[in-house]
Amino acid sequence: MNDKELVAFEAARLAKNGMVIGLGTGSTANYFIEHLAKRQLEEGLNISTVASSTISAIKAENCGLKVVSIAQLSHIDLYVDGADEITSNLSLLKGRGQDLVMEKLLAKAANQFIVVADKSKLVNRIGEKFIIPIEVIPSAWQMVKHQLEKHGAEGDIRLNASKDNVAISAHGSYILDMRFPEHINDEALNALLNNTPGIVEHGVFYGIASQVLIADNGNIEVMHTQKPL
């Protein structure tokens, strides 16, 4: 197994009979879906899943997993997903794939949110390697951008792949890709984005992750908060 598959395999071992399990999006999440489906088949697990994206829902159904609508659920037992950046206090940067709203909704609704990644995703601060994706109400994007620039942010609206129009998130929002000054820490950045009118959701996941599984050359390091599994 490569490192991504290894952490996905470990995360799939956390699934228990009767659980409702949230499925993330991306290459590591795909490995998790495959191993979860294998456990269901081999052990006869009775589990339901809810997907953070259409592509993950299709993957899960093709693997034989039962996929339910989020409209049927008030909470989920376990959510497993990757991240673009991870700090030592388990702050995350997510959402470069444009499924921010659903990813954070599932992460917050889960009794346990498990993050799976390899060592390359570890950073000292959020925004160290990547821009911060921010979903905004389409009509308000310029106002939001101006408000964030008052705090030293730099960036612009995201364009589509052909660069001939703006990109649209899975939720139907515009996306601002912004960088923030290094002196704004994860907690302050999360608060700023939460409190700026016009922002639908953003890629800073602060104080949400229960546990992070980091793979490094065949070994797994477990990073966790005070909330035990």
Side-chain angles (χ1 to χ4, degrees):
M1 292 185 188
N2 61 38
D3 280 350
K4 287 185 176 182
E5 186 173 4
L6 182 62
V7 288
F9 173 79
E10 287 297 315
R13 294 175 60 185
L14 300 173
K16 297 178 181 178
N17 195 54
M19 275 188 168
V20 177
I21 300 174
L23 308 175
T25 301
S27 56
T28 308
N30 282 340
Y31 282 126
F32 172 73
I33 292 170
E34 291 170 2
H35 284 291
L36 186 63
K38 185 177 180 181
R39 281 202 61 199
Q40 176 183 258
L41 180 64
E42 294 179 349
E43 301 174 32
L45 294 180
N46 178 24
I47 55 177
S48 298
T49 67
V50 56
S52 62
S53 66
T54 300
I55 195 69
S56 290
I58 293 171
K59 172 76 172 179
E61 289 176 339
N62 288 341
C63 287
L65 292 169
K66 176 184 177 183
V67 180
V68 299
S69 168
I70 193 170
Q72 300 174 249
L73 305 171
S74 60
H75 73 284
I76 58 179
D77 299 296
L78 176 69
Y79 178 52
V80 176
D81 202 357
D84 301 313
E85 292 183 347
I86 303 168
T87 69
S88 59
N89 69 345
L90 273 60
S91 292
L92 314 172
L93 178 65
K94 288 179 54 55
R96 291 172 64 223
Q98 303 182 182
D99 284 299
L100 264 174
V101 171
M102 186 63 76
E103 287 181 349
K104 190 169 284 187
L105 182 61
L106 294 180
K108 292 279 285 187
N111 293 336
Q112 296 291 338
F113 171 29
I114 308 299
V115 182
V116 287
D118 58 48
K119 192 177 181 180
S120 69
K121 302 303 176 65
L122 297 177
V123 295
N124 293 315
R125 66 177 182 86
I126 294 302
E128 180 178 304
K129 295 182 178 180
F130 297 108
I131 51 179
I132 310 295
I134 303 166
E135 289 200 31
V136 297
I137 296 171
S139 60
W141 75 269
Q142 292 193 77
M143 287 186 176
V144 173
K145 181 173 179 284
H146 180 65
Q147 290 300 315
L148 297 179
E149 287 172 341
K150 290 181 180 180
H151 296 271
E154 298 179 349
D156 210 342
I157 194 167
R158 183 182 296 183
L159 299 180
N160 62 17
S162 59
K163 307 298 182 184
D164 59 3
N165 208 333
V166 296
I168 303 295
S169 76
H171 190 66
S173 309
Y174 287 179
I175 302 169
L176 292 175
D177 287 325
M178 307 295 289
R179 294 189 182 278
F180 291 82
E182 293 185 15
H183 71 267
I184 302 180
N185 63 28
D186 303 346
E187 182 178 8
L189 180 57
N190 181 65
L192 169 62
L193 298 176
N194 283 345
N195 294 326
T196 300
I199 291 180
V200 177
E201 195 50 89
H202 56 84
V204 180
F205 282 53
Y206 178 80
I208 303 176
S210 307
Q211 190 178 91
V212 175
L213 305 180
I214 296 290
D216 180 18
N217 293 320
N219 297 311
I220 294 181
E221 175 188 356
V222 180
M223 303 166 62
H224 58 82
T225 63
Q226 297 302 310
K227 182 179 178 181
L229 278 173

